[in-house]
Amino acid sequence: MARRKLRVAALAGACALGGSGVLAAGGVATAATTGSTPGLVQLTGEVVHGLGADTDLGAVDASAPMTVGVGLQVDAAARQAAFRALTTPGSPTYHHWYTPASFLQAFGVSAPVAAQARAYATRAGLRVTYASPDGSYLLLSGTASQVESTFSVAEHEYRAADGSTFTANTGPATVPSSVVGLSGLTSLGVARTDLTRPAGATPAQDLCLESATSLPAGVPNGAYCTGALTPTDVRSVYAVPPGDLGNGQKVAVFGEGELANVISDLRTFEKTYSQPTVPVREVLVGDNLQDSSGDPEWDLDSQASTGMAPDLQELDFYFGSSLSDQSITATYEAWANDPAGPLTGNSSFGGAEDLEYLGAFLEDTALQQAAMEGRTMFASAGDVGGSCLPGANGITNTVVPCVEYPASSPYVTAVGGTVVYTAADASGNQVQPPTRALEYAWNYSGGGHSTFEPAQPWQPPAFPAGQATPCVGPPGTGQTCRGVPDVSALSGDIITNGYAYVYQGAVSEEGGTSLSSPLWAGSWANVEAASTATGGAGFAPAALYGLAADPTKDAASFFDVGGTTDSIPGYGNGQYPTLPRTPGVDPTGYDFVTGLGSPVLSAITSNLDGTTTPATTTTYPADPATPTVVDYGFTSPYNSPAFTGCSTSGTVSDPTGDATVPDPAGDAFDLTSMKLSSDATQVTFAGTVVDASTDAANDVDYAWQFTYQGATYAVTVDTGPSPSAALYLQNYVATPIGLLVEQAPTSLATLAAPTVDEAPNGTISVSMPLSVFNSAAKPTVPLAAGALLSQVSLFTNTGPAATALANDFNVDPVDQANFFQCTYAVDGPAAGPAPALPEAPLAVGVPLAALAAGALVLRRRSRRAA
């Protein structure tokens, strides 16, 4: 998603109600009836607490595009009672799952109530870009001004004490009493993180060691093979029945962005590992198929799930316009209401639960519906250990226990991560077929207790003695709160261990719980394929905890990660240790790092249904390589001239006086606007500046950064005695622990002398010929009329420009103006909202030696969405 800086101030209070700058004192979705208008209420719980401690930068641009999700009241008690009956053995309705049509008939919001809410939400010009069939959810798009008028709020931008910026509503929203919550009014709690990071090429798991000299402390001596496990390796380790490979089943992957490269990589993966060509279906819920930054994640999701279930009938991508709460909710709703939708889904993203709480957990409504239809969503537990650092992209463990959402939802199966080594023979070769020699917890696997979400009745009996914790906030206040994760699977350790997948056409290695979750999604498709039960295997957690409740089936069905055999007891995630099965204390071996353990699929399948033989045979269409596209058409308004959310002139404004000036020798730091213009031969970048000091040393540099074809470039101006301009390619390198570090940029070309006027209200302007860019950058598709630039940002810093670019993650830009939420079409008007990008890998400008020493506090980039 577009790089949003989430609040990290007062993180120690983030996991407690009333923690500064996180939650409203009354909790989420607390409604207070307004004194003047009957039938209207104020959502006092969806206001960021402690805004008075932040710097108010003023109102957001009235024309800034916004999307807002509106959740309507449903009969929660009736839904939950029906859900319990569906998942309780012996109930008359056990496994009598609903269809989307029967669910609508039983639990849909009444037509008059839905119509009233829709009329209220659109009265100021907001457009409905998605409406769930049961009436419980609306996705709205429009401008900040329309949002403010509709919900009687003021949208401001704030700067926190740590320098991060975010948008938030200054007061509670006013809505009809039928509305239970809104998402999208604040940029806090909307960033989904823990997306995978692209990695370099690496061989399969064929590095075999005869001792534990280079393995973590506590690993017993023995012969192990490390490296990247192939799909065949993983299926063998987790005992997938050879003839049960997902026949006749479908799996859904949730995300956003382009799919052509993802599908191409899937086809290369299938050829590389001799797998069938699985048909693909694209279900587009507002996605314009432009953003490629999430490709490594969607590559891993699709190839891990099909790696476990290569005979799938179909792989479905439910893709929205961004990874924001409001967009993700729409994709979940589309899945739950799709009669042809898969029984199994995967979400390899998450956000700190305490910040997601501001969005009212609106996804729960759709996820519960899916569960009541016998569907199962698998969700990554996170890559930040037993903690949540808002906005961090994994490989970080803070001191504050916290879990991620949607993994903490009681209507998903949360998946933690493990490190897996296979056995080596006496000659130092991998034993065939591959077998587990060692599996232990990944120390960055997410896990812990939810603060708000209640546990379903089958989970608390699995908790270790004395480990149940009550929820301290709604919706589960006072009830035993949910534990995360439910189960675990291979995540690797980012350094020596992971999964072999194809990225950009080449075999690479990747890991994290972004891998663990889709491995389980593919595994569950295998279980569903062999199920002979009424309604199929159904909602996975109910079935899995049912197995765990039987000591014999538990021991056969789950490898005890943290047990005393082929594992490392007590190897935890910073806040919680792994625990072995111990009668009377922890009979299932459940812990808040790896859940019930990793799968023994032959036993899970046979213990649930008495068979491991698929019930159906996969039949493929004549041309399985051609995707089927279901486009809800929600992108069309953005491409219409009537859409006013993005400036057609390519101009954005920036608040006056918001520059920080750490260098008193600098001048003209304060940006007030940025403009892009072009013709068929060049793009011109311009900015308007106001003097921030009386000094005229002219040591300021300016950089316009933009993304094209997945790469990031910068056009810079050094103002110095002889102003100069240049084109650079931004460079990043992955460290051994998975961080992405910005390196010195590559100089591609010198541009013609810029126009520099740093007087009050002066302008800085530089032109980049298309021919120069194409010759120097050599993009796959040449930059030409009609091409789209995205993530355009102008920022100022002390020079020279190349040095400032390389240090941007370590030295905050003094000021910036952003075009992040819009794309710019070369030689044409703005193309509408840009595809929101997945949260970028944690990137810092620090020496690698310092990283290895662990001596630095890593700072996140401070650029904001305008």
Side-chain angles (χ1 to χ4, degrees):
M1 62 188 298
R3 290 171 181 170
R4 294 188 174 103
K5 179 70 179 289
L6 293 188
R7 168 174 280 178
V8 294
L11 181 61
C15 291
L17 290 176
S20 175
V22 178
L23 301 175
V28 73
T30 302
T33 304
T34 63
S36 57
T37 309
L40 296 182
V41 298
Q42 289 185 325
L43 297 178
T44 58
E46 294 184 10
V47 181
V48 178
H49 181 67
L51 285 176
D54 302 305
T55 303
D56 190 335
L57 302 178
V60 300
D61 189 329
S63 65
M66 290 187 68
T67 60
V68 176
V70 180
L72 273 65
Q73 294 276 6
V74 298
D75 191 338
R79 282 182 167 216
Q80 186 65 8
F83 175 66
R84 292 283 177 87
L86 288 165
T87 54
T88 301
S91 163
T93 58
Y94 178 64
H95 273 213
H96 290 200
W97 309 110
Y98 288 88
T99 65
S102 64
F103 186 90
L104 171 62
Q105 183 177 9
F107 301 106
V109 176
S110 71
V113 171
Q116 177 203 40
R118 184 177 185 130
Y120 183 89
T122 57
R123 73 189 196 285
L126 291 174
R127 295 183 310 281
V128 175
T129 53
Y130 179 79
S132 64
D134 70 344
S136 66
Y137 187 73
L138 296 172
L139 181 63
L140 306 168
S141 64
T143 66
S145 175
Q146 291 170 331
V147 169
E148 292 174 326
S149 296
T150 300
F151 300 111
S152 301
V153 294
E155 292 290 321
H156 280 213
E157 187 168 16
Y158 293 87
R159 179 183 291 121
D162 68 345
S164 63
T165 58
F166 61 95
T167 59
N169 44 309
T170 62
T174 301
V175 296
S177 59
S178 59
V179 173
V180 68
L182 300 176
S183 60
L185 295 183
T186 173
S187 60
L188 287 170
V190 300
R192 296 307 179 83
T193 64
D194 292 322
L195 296 179
T196 192
R197 299 149 298 279
T202 162
Q205 190 167 52
D206 55 6
L207 174 60
C208 298
L209 309 173
E210 294 182 358
S211 72
T213 54
S214 56
L215 299 176
V219 175
N221 286 327
Y224 306 104
C225 295
T226 70
L229 280 79
T230 68
T232 302
D233 292 339
V234 182
R235 291 198 301 269
S236 180
V237 167
Y238 290 143
V240 174
D244 182 14
L245 301 175
N247 305 66
Q249 293 297 308
K250 305 176 183 178
V251 169
V253 170
F254 292 82
E256 62 80 36
E258 74 86 27
L259 280 167
N261 294 333
V262 175
I263 296 171
S264 175
D265 284 341
L266 175 62
R267 300 307 177 218
T268 302
F269 172 82
E270 290 165 337
K271 292 178 181 177
T272 301
Y273 296 105
S274 302
Q275 296 191 173
T277 301
V278 176
V280 166
R281 180 170 174 254
E282 302 174 8
V283 182
L284 309 180
V285 190
D287 186 25
N288 62 9
L289 298 173
Q290 294 295 310
D291 173 28
S292 61
S293 65
D295 284 3
E297 178 58 62
W298 321 134
D299 279 346
L300 191 61
D301 288 354
S302 57
Q303 295 169 37
S305 55
T306 61
M308 294 301 285
D311 288 344
L312 284 178
Q313 182 76 47
E314 185 176 271
L315 184 68
D316 290 9
F317 291 92
Y318 287 80
F319 268 33
S321 60
S322 71
L323 292 183
S324 65
D325 286 331
Q326 53 270 33
S327 178
I328 288 298
T329 302
T331 61
Y332 287 173
E333 289 279 359
W335 173 52
N337 287 284
D338 185 353
L343 292 177
T344 306
N346 178 74
S347 296
S348 287
F349 42 72
E353 182 190 57
D354 299 82
L355 294 181
E356 297 294 333
Y357 185 73
L358 291 169
F361 295 148
L362 293 183
E363 286 105 321
D364 273 2
T365 301
L367 291 168
Q368 184 190 47
Q369 176 182 343
M372 293 173 71
E373 295 169 359
R375 310 188 198 210
T376 300
M377 178 72 77
F378 290 88
S380 301
D383 296 349
V384 290
S387 62
C388 297
L389 176 62
N393 189 18
I395 323 303
T396 305
N397 201 323
T398 70
V399 297
V400 183
C402 183
V403 295
E404 292 197 350
Y405 183 85
S408 67
S409 170
Y411 306 111
V412 308
T413 307
V415 187
T418 68
V419 180
V420 177
Y421 299 140
T422 55
D425 61 23
S427 299
N429 298 314
Q430 186 187 52
V431 172
Q432 295 298 319
T435 59
R436 176 194 295 106
L438 180 71
E439 184 169 11
Y440 61 92
W442 182 38
N443 57 339
Y444 289 105
S445 173
H449 297 276
S450 173
T451 303
F452 315 101
E453 294 274 37
Q456 296 293 354
W458 48 73
Q459 190 183 43
F463 286 165
Q467 293 288 323
T469 300
C471 297
V472 298
T477 307
Q479 302 178 60
T480 298
C481 234
R482 172 158 159 68
V484 175
D486 296 298
V487 289
S488 54
L490 170 70
S491 64
D493 60 9
I494 305 300
I495 304 172
T496 67
N497 188 242
Y499 182 72
Y501 83 129
V502 172
Y503 172 58
Q504 293 184 341
V507 174
S508 297
E509 177 183 0
E510 196 46 79
T513 57
S514 287
L515 165 64
S516 311
S517 183
L519 288 177
W520 256 101
S523 298
W524 193 248
N526 297 340
V527 175
E528 286 281 12
S531 178
T532 58
T534 301
F539 184 55
L544 295 174
Y545 282 95
L547 292 178
D550 181 317
T552 301
K553 292 180 179 179
D554 175 59
S557 300
F558 303 101
F559 175 76
D560 185 16
V561 182
T564 57
T565 302
D566 298 333
S567 193
I568 309 176
Y571 201 79
N573 62 1
Q575 276 70 29
Y576 305 94
T578 54
L579 301 171
R581 291 188 182 100
T582 306
V585 178
D586 189 10
T588 69
Y590 180 92
D591 54 63
F592 300 101
V593 188
T594 62
L596 296 171
S598 60
V600 182
L601 285 165
S602 57
I604 290 175
T605 305
S606 59
N607 281 332
L608 286 177
D609 292 307
T611 178
T612 58
T613 302
T616 60
T617 300
T618 296
T619 57
Y620 294 128
D623 185 10
T626 300
T628 300
V629 178
V630 178
D631 192 342
Y632 285 91
F634 300 144
T635 58
S636 57
Y638 298 142
N639 296 321
S640 165
F643 179 72
T644 59
C646 293
S647 169
T648 57
S649 66
T651 301
V652 296
S653 61
D654 188 76
T656 302
D658 66 337
T660 60
V661 190
D663 179 1
D667 65 343
F669 278 122
D670 192 13
L671 302 169
T672 59
S673 70
M674 174 177 65
K675 182 176 182 178
L676 285 78
S677 58
S678 61
D679 56 31
T681 64
Q682 64 184 5
V683 177
T684 298
F685 301 87
T688 303
V689 294
V690 176
D691 274 353
S693 91
T694 58
D695 186 90
N698 289 328
D699 64 348
V700 186
D701 74 78
Y702 300 83
W704 290 264
Q705 187 168 283
F706 63 94
T707 297
Y708 179 66
Q709 293 282 298
T712 301
Y713 302 89
V715 169
T716 66
V717 168
D718 277 331
T719 56
S722 299
S724 61
L727 170 67
Y728 287 92
L729 170 68
Q730 300 284 73
N731 295 318
Y732 307 91
V733 64
T735 70
I737 59 173
L739 296 177
L740 212 60
V741 177
E742 186 169 4
Q743 302 294 288
T746 301
S747 178
L748 296 180
T750 299
L751 302 178
T755 300
V756 176
D757 176 10
E758 292 188 307
N761 300 313
T763 59
I764 311 296
S765 178
V766 60
S767 293
M768 179 187 72
L770 304 185
S771 59
V772 171
F773 177 87
N774 291 329
S775 174
K778 298 179 176 58
T780 303
V781 178
L783 186 62
L788 300 180
L789 306 183
S790 63
Q791 282 196 291
V792 185
S793 177
L794 165 62
F795 61 94
T796 62
N797 233 329
T798 54
T803 302
L805 282 174
N807 288 336
D808 181 40
F809 290 90
N810 206 29
V811 180
D812 290 344
V814 176
D815 198 14
Q816 56 213 344
N818 296 286
F819 206 64
F820 269 91
Q821 294 182 351
C822 301
T823 55
Y824 179 79
V826 175
D827 192 28
L837 299 178
E839 186 69 15
L842 184 61
V844 290
V846 296
L848 293 180
L851 277 176
L856 296 178
V857 176
L858 306 181
R859 301 182 58 191
R860 296 205 48 244
R861 193 173 201 173
S862 62
R863 293 176 192 168
R864 66 183 185 277

